[in-house]
Amino acid sequence: MTSQEILNVVKLLLEYLVPTLKVFGFTLLFSVPLGMVVALLKMCKFKPISYLTNIYILIMRGTPLMLQVIVAFYAVPMLKNGEGTPQFIVNLLNNIDIKDENYMFNAVLVAFVLNYAAYFAEIFRGGIESIPKGQYEAAAALSMTRTQTFFKIILPQVVKRVVPASANEVITLVKDTSLANVVAYAEITLKAKQQMQLYSSLVPLFIAGAFYFVLATVLTIVFSYVEKKLDYYK
Amino acid sequence: MAMLEVKNLRKCFGDLEVLKDISFNVEKGEVVAIIGPSGSGKSTLLRCINQLEKASDGKISVCGMDMLEDNPKGSGVVYADARLLRDIRLKIGLVFQNFNLFPHFSVLRNITEAPMIVLKKSKEEAEKTAIELLKKMGLEAKADSYPCELSGGQQQRVSIARALALSPEILFFDEPTSALDPELTGEILKVIRKLADDGMTMVIVTHEMAFARDVADKVIFMENGVIVEEGAPEQLFGNDATERTKQFLQRFSQG
Ligand SMILES: Nc1ncnc2c1ncn2[C@@H]1O[C@H](COP(=O)(O)OP(=O)(O)O)[C@@H](O)[C@H]1O
Ligand SMILES: [Mg+2]
C-alpha cells in the first residue's frame, strides 16, 4: 500500500471509531447501574428472585457474547414471522421497526448491556459481600437508615474494592466491541476487514489493532490513576 | 425512673437458648459492669438491647419507652413501631470490640456523619461538637487522619467519640479493650472512667476485673445465659459472693 492509501485507511477507520465508541460508551452507561441492580437482586433474600437472577447471570456468562449479539439482532424478525409466537408478543414486536436506522445499534446494545451487566453484577456482589458485617452494625447503632447505610457507608467502600476487577471488564469491553461486526454493524473491525479485501493487504487490520491498543492503554492508565486516587485509606 | 429495664429477656438462635430469663435495671448515672466467661451471652444481651438482634421473649424499655413486650396474644414478642424504635435507638450508643470505624471517612467525618445525616445538624455544628469530643479524647491532632493511620487505642477512642456525638443517654461497651494490646487498654479505661465521673450512664461488658471493681456501681455476673449474681462490686468481688462467682473470679485471676 502506498502511504497515501494508508493515510486514507487511517482516516476511514478514524471515522468508524465513532460507532465503536458508541457501543463502548452506551454499554458502560447502562450495564454498570444495571449490574448493581442485578447484584442486589441476586442477594435478595426472597429465593425465587435470587434463583432467577442467577440463571440469567449463568446464561450470560456461559454463552458467547457473539452468539448473544446474533440472537438479539435476529430475534425480532424471527419471532415476528415465527409460527408459534403468541399474539401479544407479535403485537409487542410490531412496535419495533427493523428497518429503522437505529435498529442494528439498539440490538447490538441490548446484547452488550445484558452481557456486561451480568459480569459487573458478579464483581459488585463480591464487593458488597466483602464488606464486614460490623460496618452495617456500626451504621445501625448510629441510627442510620438502610438507604443511608448503603449509599454513605457501604457503596463507597465497594467502589474501591471493585475498581481493579471492573477495570479489566472495561478494557475487555473495548476489544469486545469488535464482535458487533458479526451482524454487519459498521465499526472499526468491519471496515478494516473490507479495506483488507480492497487492498489485498494486512495493513488495515494492523491499523485497526493499533486503534484498539491505544484505547486499551489509555484506559489502563486512567484506571491505575483512579486506583491510586482511591488509595487514601486501607 | 430506670434508664433501662430488661425483664425476663430470652433469646434463641434456632434451638440454642443463649439468653434465659434475663432481668436487670440500670438507673440514671449508674455504671454497670457485666462479667462472665465467653459464650455466656453478654454480647447477645447488648445486641438485643441495641436492636442488632431480635429478642425471642421478654420486655425491654429504654428511658420509659417500651421497645418490645411479650406478645399479649400468644408466644414471642411485639416490637414498638419503627418510629419509636428509632427514638429509642437514638437514646443509646454502642461501642464495639473491633471499633468498626468507617475506613473511608476521616476521623472527623466518622464523628460528624451520623449527627449530620441522622440528626440533620449543620456541618459547622457537627464539626464543633466533634472537635470538642476529640479534645476530650486527646485526639484533636488526628481529626484529618484516617482510621488506618491510628493505633487500636486511638481508633477505639474515636469510636467512643462517634457514639457520644449523638448525645446518647446510655452508652454500651462490648469488651472495649479486648482487641487492644495490653499496653493500650489503659488509655481506654481512662476515658471510660472520665465518662463515669461526668455522670454518663454506662453498661460495660469487660474482662478487666480491677477496672470493673473500681468504676462500676453494680456488677452483673453472667454464665450460660443467666445472671448468676448481681450486686455492688464489694459484694461480688468480696467474700460474700456466691461460690460460682468466686470460682470464676479465681480462675480468671489465675489467667
Ligand atoms: N448469630 C448467632 N447465631 C447462632 N449462635 C450465636 C450467634 N451469636 C452468638 N451465638 C451463640 O450464642 C452464645 C453466646 O454468644 P455471645 O453473646 O457472643 O457470648 P459472649 O459475648 O458472652 O462471649 C454462644 O454460644 C454463641 O456461639
Ligand atoms: Mg462477646
Side-chain angles (χ1 to χ4, degrees):
Chain A
M1 284 174 74
T2 67
S3 54
Q4 187 54 50
E5 284 167 349
I6 290 176
L7 195 66
N8 286 343
V9 172
V10 170
K11 273 189 194 149
L12 180 81
L13 291 189
L14 215 47
E15 232 172 86
Y16 282 89
L17 186 59
V18 176
T20 288
L21 289 179
K22 229 172 98 183
V23 173
F24 173 77
F26 280 99
T27 299
L28 269 191
L29 185 68
F30 293 120
S31 65
V32 169
L34 182 62
M36 184 52 89
V37 172
V38 172
L40 294 175
L41 287 178
K42 180 161 174 189
M43 291 188 298
C44 180
K45 291 213 178 68
F46 184 60
K47 284 296 159 211
I49 290 189
S50 169
Y51 285 145
L52 282 177
T53 312
N54 200 29
I55 289 171
Y56 154 73
I57 292 175
L58 284 173
I59 292 174
M60 285 299 147
R61 306 211 317 166
T63 59
L65 175 55
M66 190 189 278
L67 192 66
Q68 293 164 14
V69 172
I70 298 172
V71 169
F73 184 76
Y74 288 106
V76 176
M78 292 288 170
L79 286 176
K80 258 188 199 176
N81 304 328
E83 299 262 310
T85 313
Q87 192 54 42
F88 77 95
I89 292 191
V90 174
N91 291 344
L92 219 66
L93 293 177
N94 278 336
N95 295 328
I96 302 174
D97 178 11
I98 57 170
K99 301 232 163 52
D100 188 278
E101 57 175 337
N102 281 324
Y103 172 72
M104 186 185 280
F105 172 74
N106 290 339
V108 167
L109 190 63
V110 164
F112 270 75
V113 168
L114 290 179
N115 178 281
Y116 269 80
Y119 281 92
F120 281 126
E122 285 299 75
I123 293 173
F124 296 163
R125 185 179 61 86
I128 292 172
E129 286 178 349
S130 75
I131 305 294
K133 234 177 84 199
Q135 291 291 301
Y136 293 91
E137 295 184 345
L142 292 166
S143 299
M144 292 183 192
T145 63
R146 284 165 66 107
T147 316
Q148 286 172 337
T149 303
F150 182 72
F151 285 102
K152 299 277 187 177
I153 307 300
I154 305 303
L155 193 56
Q157 297 185 58
V158 170
V159 167
K160 178 183 160 95
R161 290 181 191 214
V162 302
V163 161
S166 304
N168 280 336
E169 287 307 321
V170 174
I171 290 163
T172 305
L173 173 59
V174 165
K175 295 171 288 177
D176 273 358
T177 55
S178 64
L179 293 174
N181 92 83
V182 72
V183 290
Y185 176 73
E187 44 68 68
I188 291 182
T189 300
L190 186 90
K191 285 292 151 185
K193 211 162 75 186
Q194 290 171 354
Q195 298 297 302
M196 167 194 80
Q197 282 154 351
L198 188 66
Y199 292 105
S200 296
S201 161
L202 284 175
V203 172
L205 296 186
F206 288 135
I207 296 172
F211 276 46
Y212 290 112
F213 183 82
V214 169
L215 287 174
T217 305
V218 168
L219 285 168
T220 306
I221 294 168
V222 167
F223 275 109
S224 58
Y225 174 77
V226 171
E227 273 179 53
K228 262 215 199 81
K229 271 270 164 196
L230 287 171
D231 212 26
Y232 63 92
Y233 74 92
K234 294 257 159 19
Chain B
M1 178 191 75
M3 296 286 272
L4 172 69
E5 260 185 271
V6 176
K7 237 177 165 167
N8 309 112
L9 181 69
R10 234 167 47 85
K11 169 69 188 175
C12 302
F13 289 109
D15 288 338
L16 181 67
E17 192 178 15
V18 172
L19 297 178
K20 308 162 188 162
D21 201 29
I22 298 277
S23 301
F24 69 100
N25 286 357
V26 179
E27 303 296 327
K28 192 169 172 59
E30 206 173 24
V31 177
V32 175
I34 301 179
I35 59 173
S38 89
S40 55
K42 305 180 299 295
S43 296
T44 306
L45 174 60
L46 257 53
R47 292 167 60 82
C48 284
I49 298 169
N50 281 276
Q51 303 176 36
L52 295 176
E53 300 285 359
K54 274 211 141 79
S56 310
D57 261 311
K59 191 179 166 212
I60 298 177
S61 38
V62 176
C63 302
M65 294 181 280
D66 292 333
M67 183 172 129
L68 60 107
E69 285 171 306
D70 275 318
N71 190 347
K73 291 196 211 83
S75 63
V77 289
V78 274
Y79 272 79
D81 60 62
R83 216 195 167 102
L84 187 59
L85 284 180
R86 202 185 111 96
D87 288 346
I88 291 172
R89 180 168 246 167
L90 276 170
K91 296 274 181 218
I92 58 189
L94 176 60
V95 173
F96 298 85
Q97 181 174 343
N98 304 312
F99 334 131
N100 292 335
L101 290 177
F102 304 129
H104 58 307
F105 287 162
S106 69
V107 164
L108 189 70
R109 178 112 187 251
N110 262 281
I111 303 173
T112 57
E113 189 68 10
M116 283 170 63
I117 66 176
V118 175
L119 301 180
K120 313 284 178 212
K121 281 196 187 176
S122 70
K123 191 166 181 237
E124 293 71 32
E125 201 187 341
E127 287 188 349
K128 202 173 140 245
T129 316
I131 300 277
E132 276 165 19
L133 284 167
L134 280 174
K135 275 194 186 135
K136 219 163 137 184
M137 300 291 149
L139 286 173
E140 65 268 41
K142 298 289 183 189
D144 297 323
S145 303
Y146 282 85
C148 62
E149 301 164 333
L150 305 182
S151 73
Q154 291 170 330
Q155 290 191 45
Q156 190 59 298
R157 279 183 280 159
V158 173
S159 90
I160 295 173
R162 181 177 70 173
L164 287 172
L166 290 172
S167 322
E169 299 282 342
I170 317 180
L171 197 49
F172 292 82
F173 294 83
D174 191 359
E175 302 195 26
T177 60
S178 292
L180 301 178
D181 294 334
E183 67 268 26
L184 296 179
T185 59
E187 61 185 69
I188 299 305
L189 299 182
K190 219 168 87 189
V191 166
I192 299 176
R193 198 182 300 258
K194 209 154 91 187
L195 290 171
D197 291 342
D198 293 347
M200 187 79 204
T201 312
M202 291 186 283
V203 177
I204 308 161
V205 172
T206 184
H207 291 305
E208 302 287 330
M209 297 306 162
F211 175 75
R213 178 179 204 154
D214 206 27
V215 174
D217 303 301
K218 182 161 85 186
V219 181
I220 291 175
F221 170 48
M222 264 180 82
E223 190 171 43
N224 292 325
V226 295
I227 295 182
V228 175
E229 191 172 2
E230 171 183 352
E234 299 78 33
Q235 184 195 326
L236 266 89
F237 293 105
N239 284 326
D240 296 339
T242 63
E243 237 9 76
R244 199 53 215 102
T245 309
K246 277 186 193 161
Q247 267 176 24
F248 167 70
L249 289 173
Q250 197 175 13
R251 205 174 339 130
F252 204 86
S253 57
Q254 283 165 355

